[in-house]
Amino acid sequence: MTSIETATNAKAHLEKMLSLLEIEATVIEEHFDESTVCYRIECSEDDAKFLIGRKGQTLESLQFLVRQMCKGAMGEEEHFIVDVLDYRQRRKDSIIDRAKRAAVAVLNGEVEDYALNPMNAFERRLVHNYLQENFPELSSQSNGLGPDRHIVISYSGEPDSGSEEKSPADSGSEESDS
């Protein structure tokens, strides 16, 4: 299945699902980046609350269902995301803001380790990348299992300038998200 066929199918599946749910909405296809398409659903605020659900769980489920419906015979997947009224961008901004406040608390010595609330893998990856780019003196590590998996931020010292060696215990502490 080509990416054009997948895009057509994904949009058609979303439109059909919205119709079955009796939700008046428009599905807009936008390019998120070079390899990812975003299907943005424009609808009323009440319908958006229904489609997003508690902490975005309904939206994640909707995206999962559409991905399953669009999988090719060989199991290949095209990369796309489903969004409702820019929820994902607002959520990303909120997560980055919390990570920034946690990083500042660790740097100011208010706390030694700062545990963020549980997040899904995509959200944890956002935080790991944000901290790595903006706070290289901090380390972030994913702890916990399943729905309780969260990030712990701690001070790791000044960024390596090549003169110091990292101890084996330090290796893999950043972005360990398995």
Side-chain angles (χ1 to χ4, degrees), residues 92-103:
K92 176 184 175 184
D93 293 345
S94 171
I95 289 167
I96 295 299
D97 185 56
R98 274 186 270 146
K100 188 185 305 182
R101 282 186 274 130

Side-chain angles (χ1 to χ4, degrees), residues 84-119:
V84 176
L85 295 181
D86 295 321
Y87 168 78
R88 293 194 188 272
Q89 184 61 48
R90 292 191 317 269
R91 176 81 175 146
K92 176 184 175 184
D93 293 345
S94 171
I95 289 167
I96 295 299
D97 185 56
R98 274 186 270 146
K100 188 185 305 182
R101 282 186 274 130
V104 169
V106 171
L107 287 173
N108 288 341
E110 296 170 27
V111 291
E112 191 171 319
D113 296 321
Y114 195 109
L116 295 171
N117 290 331
M119 296 177 228

Side-chain angles (χ1 to χ4, degrees), residues 62-73:
L62 179 64
Q63 180 174 289
F64 174 78
L65 286 173
V66 174
R67 277 199 178 130
Q68 293 302 107
M69 295 166 81
C70 292
K71 271 189 180 178

Side-chain angles (χ1 to χ4, degrees), residues 27-97:
V27 179
I28 301 167
E29 182 180 332
E30 300 173 339
H31 290 278
F32 188 72
D33 58 32
E34 307 83 42
S35 62
T36 308
V37 174
C38 176
Y39 296 103
R40 192 167 40 87
I41 300 171
E42 293 292 325
C43 60
S44 71
E45 280 193 37
D46 287 339
D47 288 338
K49 288 177 186 176
F50 174 74
L51 289 171
I52 294 167
R54 185 174 178 267
K55 295 186 178 181
Q57 291 174 331
T58 305
L59 181 58
E60 289 297 324
S61 298
L62 179 64
Q63 180 174 289
F64 174 78
L65 286 173
V66 174
R67 277 199 178 130
Q68 293 302 107
M69 295 166 81
C70 292
K71 271 189 180 178
M74 303 300 286
E76 73 273 1
E77 286 184 42
E78 292 295 324
H79 294 283
F80 64 84
I81 58 173
V82 177
D83 195 6
V84 176
L85 295 181
D86 295 321
Y87 168 78
R88 293 194 188 272
Q89 184 61 48
R90 292 191 317 269
R91 176 81 175 146
K92 176 184 175 184
D93 293 345
S94 171
I95 289 167
I96 295 299
D97 185 56

